[in-house]
Amino acid sequence: MKRIADNIYYAGVNDRQKKLFENLWPLPHGISYNSYLITGNKNILIDTVDLCYSELFFEKIDRTLNGRAIDYLIINHMEPDHSGSIRLLREKYPDIRIIGNKLTFGMLAGYYNITDGLYEVKDGDILDAGSHKFKFYTAPMVHWPEVMFTYDETDKILFSADAFGTFGTLDGGIVDKDMNTSRYWNEMIRYYSNIVGKYGNPVQKALQKLADADIQMICSTHGPIWNEQKTKAIETYDRLSRYEGLNGVTLIYGSMYGHTEQMAETIASALSDGGVREIKMHNVSNCHSSYILRDIFNYKGVIIGSPTYGNQLFPEIDSLLDKIELREIKGRLFGYFGSFTWAGAAVKRLAAFGETMKWEIVGAPVEQKQNIRTDEQCIALGKAMAERLQ
């Protein structure tokens, strides 16, 4: 195992086989399940890994401990990709004490029928394990109710459960200073947007609890360990959880025969002419919603276009709007447009969506009948958004 600090080792594994995280979110670069082993007069494991990788996981631990037992397991998060090996861990180390909070133990009993050998901690509690002293911060709904963070006061390391995590395997390097992290930042935003995104207020509360902690390293359960770039990781979570968008536009559309797509192209050109440099265009028919949601979280402007389909919105647009509403994304600038052949409904339904989200409407909506051109109106919509962003 790789050492990340004095007597602290990375015990995680890479999953290069899974195609969809939670059977929902694409994993073009796989994912890591991170676990950490702290050795000393007490051997402490923080989280485990998915059951599919338990054999490799235990081989790594055995090579490091060389016959010694694990004294404590700290559970920061009970989702099965991190807790899946707990039952086998208890069988291997029957005297291990399991540290968690009250909600953790309810899930531990429900998932794995483990109800004894438990050590309950509350928010702010401290555990002195000899060579290491730990402080526990409950972080409910980041992104499950039992989540907590463990702060090693000795080495000033925050073990943060899924917070600050990313999609993507760790390809050799473990700590940010030993790798090119450029591809992980968009994957952090995509992870946050799709999995944590609804819970901005709980994330803010968790960050406030950590405000006075001297954090030198962040060890998440997914993705790189943040050392040199820890401040960027915290600032990214802070911005996203406040729903603060960057100066750019996410332009989303559905199109059956190309008319709505051409409207989108005209609007994008007007945005560019108006000085907008970050324009993210998505055709909902060939782009997974996780990437669209990522960009909506990341940028301030949102423009959505849809043809009328069965007197409703285009189905993939309708599905996307449900996902946006679920995440309760706040404070976006919103423009919309649509097309129809004999009965227009899409623009009206997009207007209702904007009211539901309480987003600021920018520009006049554009509605095109058949192939009757609306270039001037589309240009006006793009320019209005560009001016509002400026």
Side-chain angles (χ1 to χ4, degrees):
M1 285 195 290
K2 287 199 172 187
R3 188 193 304 267
I4 61 173
D6 288 344
N7 301 318
I8 302 181
Y9 299 86
Y10 176 79
V13 297
N14 285 313
D15 186 343
R16 304 181 191 278
Q17 306 303 315
K18 186 171 290 182
K19 301 299 183 186
L20 294 173
F21 188 70
E22 298 181 338
N23 265 340
L24 288 168
W25 318 115
L27 295 173
H29 306 293
I31 195 164
S32 68
Y33 309 123
N34 300 345
S35 170
Y36 305 93
L37 179 66
I38 303 172
T39 62
N41 54 347
K42 297 290 185 182
N43 296 317
I44 302 154
L45 186 67
I46 299 181
D47 292 311
T48 69
V49 302
D50 191 289
L51 180 62
C52 297
Y53 292 89
S54 58
E55 184 176 355
L56 174 61
F57 174 62
F58 286 121
E59 284 179 5
K60 295 175 73 171
I61 290 172
D62 289 346
R63 285 198 301 269
T64 301
L65 291 181
N66 196 25
R68 290 175 293 154
I70 296 177
D71 299 287
Y72 293 109
L73 167 67
I74 297 174
I75 302 176
N76 283 331
H77 186 22
M78 274 296 300
E79 201 166 4
D81 54 334
H82 307 299
S83 69
S85 298
I86 289 178
R87 192 199 306 273
L88 294 177
L89 185 74
R90 167 54 69 85
E91 291 174 2
K92 186 175 178 67
Y93 304 106
D95 296 326
I96 193 172
R97 297 197 73 184
I98 299 177
I99 299 171
N101 58 63
K102 184 177 181 180
L103 292 176
T104 305
F105 295 152
M107 294 182 184
L108 190 64
Y111 274 119
Y112 308 115
N113 198 30
I114 295 175
T115 57
D116 59 352
L118 310 180
Y119 184 99
E120 183 179 339
V121 294
K122 298 180 175 63
D123 189 38
D125 280 358
I126 292 176
L127 172 68
D128 191 338
S131 56
H132 289 265
K133 184 182 287 187
F134 302 99
K135 185 172 182 178
F136 302 98
Y137 297 89
T138 56
M141 301 320 302
V142 185
H143 59 115
W144 277 25
E146 89 301 350
V147 169
M148 70 179 190
F149 299 161
T150 299
Y151 177 60
D152 179 359
E153 293 187 338
T154 306
D155 285 314
K156 305 189 185 312
I157 297 175
L158 180 70
F159 298 94
S160 63
D162 278 355
F164 313 110
T166 80
F167 295 126
T169 55
L170 297 172
D171 302 339
I174 302 297
V175 182
D176 59 5
K177 63 185 178 63
D178 300 323
M179 58 202 301
N180 180 349
T181 61
S182 58
R183 74 177 173 93
Y184 293 100
W185 293 107
N186 269 341
E187 289 294 73
M188 175 186 280
I189 296 170
R190 187 164 71 95
Y191 185 96
Y192 179 94
S193 303
N194 289 277
I195 296 170
V196 187
K198 180 181 176 67
Y199 304 111
N201 287 336
V203 171
Q204 279 291 302
K205 290 177 181 178
L207 292 175
Q208 289 164 13
K209 288 183 181 182
L210 297 171
D212 295 328
D214 180 12
I215 300 170
Q216 296 301 312
M217 189 178 290
I218 299 174
C219 293
S220 174
T221 45
H222 295 296
I225 293 169
W226 302 113
N227 178 214
E228 293 180 348
Q229 300 175 70
K230 60 185 179 295
T231 301
K232 181 177 179 179
I234 294 170
E235 288 175 347
T236 298
Y237 255 60
D238 179 46
R239 177 177 69 82
L240 294 172
S241 61
R242 287 186 288 106
Y243 304 97
E244 180 184 319
L246 301 175
N247 197 25
V249 176
T250 307
L251 177 50
I252 307 146
Y253 66 92
S255 190
M256 289 180 286
Y257 302 111
H259 300 112
T260 317
E261 183 171 59
Q262 285 307 306
M263 295 174 75
E265 295 281 8
T266 303
I267 293 167
S269 179
L271 287 167
S272 177
D273 290 344
V276 180
R277 294 296 171 258
E278 292 288 348
I279 304 168
K280 306 297 182 182
M281 291 188 70
H282 296 287
N283 179 341
V284 293
S285 295
N286 58 29
C287 181
H288 193 274
S289 63
S290 67
Y291 296 94
I292 303 174
L293 290 166
R294 174 199 66 193
D295 289 341
I296 293 172
F297 262 90
N298 208 24
Y299 296 101
K300 191 180 300 182
V302 179
I303 301 178
I304 302 177
S306 173
T308 296
Y309 190 93
N311 207 34
Q312 303 287 330
L313 289 163
F314 189 65
E316 292 303 316
I317 290 287
D318 198 33
S319 175
L320 176 68
L321 299 190
D322 285 342
K323 294 178 175 68
I324 296 170
E325 286 188 36
L326 176 64
R327 285 157 180 80
E328 300 175 4
I329 304 170
K330 298 175 178 61
R332 293 298 176 261
L333 307 174
F334 182 47
Y336 55 98
F337 61 101
S339 62
F340 69 99
T341 295
W342 67 87
V347 167
K348 293 178 182 177
R349 296 186 181 278
L350 287 170
F353 165 76
E355 292 177 3
T356 297
M357 297 301 297
K358 297 182 173 60
W359 287 354
E360 178 185 336
I361 306 302
V362 176
V366 185
E367 187 172 41
Q368 177 174 301
K369 181 178 181 180
Q370 297 158 15
N371 196 29
I372 301 170
R373 305 294 292 190
T374 55
D375 289 3
E376 289 184 5
Q377 295 97 313
C378 289
I379 291 168
L381 176 56
K383 284 186 174 180
M385 180 63 77
E387 289 171 3
R388 180 63 182 85
L389 285 169
Q390 298 303 323

